[in-house]
Amino acid sequence: MYRFCPSIEMRAYPVEQYPCRTRAAAAIMHMIMNNLDPAVAQFPQELVTYGGNGQVFGNWAQFWLTMSYLSQMTEEQTLVMYSGHPLGLFPSSPGAPRLVITNGMVIPNYSSRTEYDKLFAMGVTMYGQMTAGSYCYIGPQGIVHGTVLTVLNAGRRYLGTEDLAGKVFVTSGLGGMSGAQAKAAVIVGCIGVIAEVDRAALMKRHKQGWLMEVADSLDHCIRRLREARRRKEVLSLGYHGNVVDLWERLVHELDTTGELLVDLGSDQTSCHNPFNGGYYPVQLGFTEAQSLLASNPAAFKALVQESLRRQVSAINRLAKENFFFWDYGNAFLLEAQRAGADVEKKGARKTEFRYPSYVQHIMGDIFSQGFGPFRWVCTSGDPQDLAVTDQLAVSVLEAAIAGGVNPAVRLQYVDNIRWIREAARHQLVVGSQARILYSDQKGRVAIAVAFNQGIASGKIKAPVVLSRDHHDVSGTDSPFRETSNIYDGSAFCADMAVQNFVGDAFRGATWVALHNGGGVGWGEAINGGFGLVLDGTQEAEQKAKMMLTWDVSNGVARRCWSGNQKAYEIICQTMQENNGLVVTLPHEVADEHVLQQALQS
């Protein structure tokens, strides 16, 4: 199918240039081509957008067929996609989605990695990651913002500070999604040290201006880290080498000098796919490891698992000091556990490890308030349209603050206003003219209405596509990531994500998607997303109000229900510890930490 690879420049063209019969179809084509833009996609020739194997389609013939169907589609037809394969156009109503996507929907007993390899090789299924297969990826900007919020809130929680100057954040990966970590470190004002084995990926980020400096040796890396720490510089430093070597060197420095050189740590290798190039073993160089992977996959797997054990051992040593590590939802701790690494937490639930996931300790509380990665794309392709939408979004959030919100919500709004104001300065747009911010239900609806009115008045020149990451309040059931802070026993159930997909479809979404996998890997999650085209009409405004309300409130309701189950356990435990003392709590409080504080007071 490579013979069908297009000769045209692959990028998100202005929406009016697409030969379509409906604005919705043209907007979808705009989004598809952005996902395959070489400046955006990780392996565009393989139709892989990010995550090592997250595809838009399974092959280039499917691309051409899909674009052909979209060019023909009317407002009374829906295009159906089966794991990258366009089944065809079918009659529907103007209020129905124009596109319905499913990726990797496999009978549960056959949703294993081994079966996936067979089914994928046959061309009958596909791993869409999250926004790769739903045509909603906006480049690394999305994960930049998520990482900014994660590191900011990690500083608040673990280090007790808003000021991260001189603090060191060590992690790995400068590829499709992980490449955002360097830019995020600069935005929050810390020192980010990011290891990457693939020099091409590292230099791509350096040339883009997302990575400030490169170190080719551990000696250089440690020397520069010490210097930046002493001067409290803002720095993103890429270490060309294996992150295990870096962790072990940090342990050596601690044991020989008594100096702890790292404050915060995580990992963003593609551990959802560790034995097919998502994680490279420390024992071999990059090209040697690639050769072994091709010639002896079993030996490669054994080295990967040994490498994971070594990485965890080094992290465990550092964690005995004032150092804090979290799992970034890439299945790192899950794969480390399977490899026999020391990540067990005594008396823990199945979803808990020695170190928390970032959802359990950092972002879960934000999700419970209804905040998540809301995003939009200006289909005109004009940066001025993006600037107008930025200003409208800031005005909406400022008005919400002025109208009065609780302190926790206000903090999130303030963080996101800061993000929007700094976004242009940090040159975050790669590919389509897109922006992301974390907003709650009220904010999302108000922003959508403001955008739609801007299109109607001509302030915004072309339709705007609203979307979000599947990694959101309601979009994903993933027991080791998005729902890892669900403690009522339902973390392994997928009702929420499926109900979201269905509910969005009949409440006005232009397209909807439901995927197996995403983030933590095949068989480990069910997740879904949507696209909603705003075109300035009253109908579009009503759809946005209806659909966005459901898209957030579904997850908030579920998390509150789970939070009350957890509250019940906390109350029982506290009553035992306090000789049966009964404490009254507000029923709507869903946050475990808030509950514990309330009980203590």
Side-chain angles (χ1 to χ4, degrees), residues 254-332:
L254 174 63
D255 289 341
T256 57
T257 70
E259 187 178 11
L260 179 66
L261 294 175
V262 57
D263 302 283
L264 301 170
S266 191
D267 185 278
Q268 273 200 37
T269 52
S270 293
C271 265
H272 70 278
N273 189 33
F275 310 124
N276 288 296
Y279 182 100
Y280 279 82
V282 67
Q283 303 91 332
L284 301 174
F286 184 57
T287 54
E288 290 177 296
Q290 288 182 316
S291 297
L292 183 64
L293 174 59
S295 64
N296 192 340
F300 181 87
K301 178 178 179 179
L303 290 180
V304 164
Q305 292 191 317
E306 180 188 335
S307 191
L308 284 165
R309 292 192 295 271
R310 283 175 57 179
Q311 183 170 344
V312 168
S313 178
I315 291 167
N316 288 349
R317 171 65 187 95
L318 294 167
K320 292 178 181 179
E321 311 299 325
N322 194 35
F323 160 72
F324 303 93
F325 183 89
W326 66 87
D327 183 290
Y328 216 130
N330 60 338
F332 171 72

Side-chain angles (χ1 to χ4, degrees), residues 308-309 312-313 316 333 336-337 339-345 354-355:
L308 284 165
R309 292 192 295 271
V312 168
S313 178
N316 288 349
L333 290 179
Q337 180 191 52
D342 183 13
V343 295
E344 298 294 334
K345 179 181 177 182
R354 182 171 187 158
Y355 304 103

Side-chain angles (χ1 to χ4, degrees), residues 211-245:
L211 182 67
M212 293 169 65
E213 297 180 20
V214 173
D216 285 314
S217 71
L218 280 171
D219 287 343
H220 177 194
C221 182
I222 296 299
R223 184 170 61 251
R224 188 67 185 94
L225 188 164
R226 274 201 169 98
E227 183 180 70
R229 195 162 170 259
R230 185 176 65 254
R231 296 176 179 175
K232 293 192 174 181
E233 291 181 53
V234 175
L235 174 68
S236 58
L237 177 63
Y239 165 59
H240 180 217
N242 196 292
V243 73
V244 180
D245 284 328

